[in-house]
Amino acid sequence: ISGENETHVFISSGENVHLPCNNALHDCRSTTWNYNRFSHLATVELIILGIKKKDTESHERLSLGSDCSLNIKNITKEDYGLYSCRQYVNDTQHGDGARVYLHVLH
């Protein structure tokens, strides 16, 4: 998609990673992080409007940084894929989404 921020992050298994959200607003209450594994079409919602979802398999390893970045502890090879950060204001997407491709080296 034209105009969309795209970042590639390369990390080794077992490390912690910081995925930037380049389009964050003044606070993280508008921030939503979604995840797509390349081989699956379904999107997993990880963070919705700044609140971490409890029912994702990796939720205990996730945290939101003060700059609305997504922090993931103890990366596994299953964490690879596309992470997208979007901002919603009054249920309307604000600006372009930021796409972060996570590549896990093992």
Side-chain angles (χ1 to χ4, degrees), residues 52-63:
K52 185 167 60 168
K53 289 201 67 179
K54 296 277 190 271
D55 58 354
T56 59
E57 57 189 56
S58 60
H59 89 272
E60 290 174 3
R61 297 187 293 119
L62 301 177
S63 64

Side-chain angles (χ1 to χ4, degrees), residues 5-62:
N5 296 319
E6 216 171 84
T7 307
H8 289 263
V9 174
F10 296 84
I11 191 88
S12 297
S13 294
E15 293 186 12
N16 299 338
V17 72
H18 171 91
L19 303 181
C21 182
N22 300 329
N23 61 355
L25 300 176
H26 51 84
D27 65 30
C28 299
R29 287 188 304 236
S30 59
T31 300
T32 295
W33 275 98
N34 293 327
Y35 166 67
N36 278 85
R37 192 168 285 157
F38 294 142
S39 57
H40 297 79
L41 296 176
T43 297
V44 178
E45 294 178 313
L46 302 175
I47 309 263
I48 298 175
L49 301 177
I51 298 170
K52 185 167 60 168
K53 289 201 67 179
K54 296 277 190 271
D55 58 354
T56 59
E57 57 189 56
S58 60
H59 89 272
E60 290 174 3
R61 297 187 293 119
L62 301 177

Side-chain angles (χ1 to χ4, degrees), residues 65-104:
S66 59
D67 58 353
C68 309
S69 58
L70 182 65
N71 299 313
I72 310 172
K73 292 182 195 160
N74 193 19
I75 287 290
T76 69
K77 62 181 189 286
E78 282 75 38
D79 291 322
Y80 81 94
L82 170 63
Y83 291 80
S84 53
C85 179
R86 293 190 174 91
Q87 306 302 317
Y88 290 92
V89 178
N90 300 327
D91 293 331
T92 304
Q93 185 169 330
H94 188 272
D96 289 333
R99 296 158 63 95
V100 183
Y101 291 92
L102 181 63
H103 306 271
V104 180

